[in-house]
Amino acid sequence: SQITRITYNLPAQANIRIAVCNSFGEEVSVLFNGLRQEGKHEEIFDARAFCQGVYFVRLESENFRAVQRMILIK
């Protein structure tokens, strides 16, 4: 499937931004940008319109930043 579920847990309410970047660091999709309550959350990345390759999911808040690599194979 070319649809990926991205799950994450927030220890406290936070303003977050979740974006997908290509291998050049360019944002190709913003999955969420706003306020989330604490707890488990899920975002959907529909990659059907994207070329195969390496992508990065970036989650940022005021106090935290995480990046995870994804490989899209068609």
Side-chain angles (χ1 to χ4, degrees), residues 13-16 60-65:
Q13 176 178 292
N15 280 308
I16 64 166
E60 296 176 306
S61 72
E62 296 134 3
N63 303 320
F64 181 78
R65 182 175 181 181

Side-chain angles (χ1 to χ4, degrees), residues 5-28:
R5 298 179 192 282
I6 298 164
T7 58
Y8 56 97
N9 283 303
L10 294 177
Q13 176 178 292
N15 280 308
I16 64 166
R17 179 177 172 85
I18 300 175
V20 177
C21 301
N22 63 20
S23 58
F24 299 109
E26 302 166 329
E27 278 190 7
V28 295

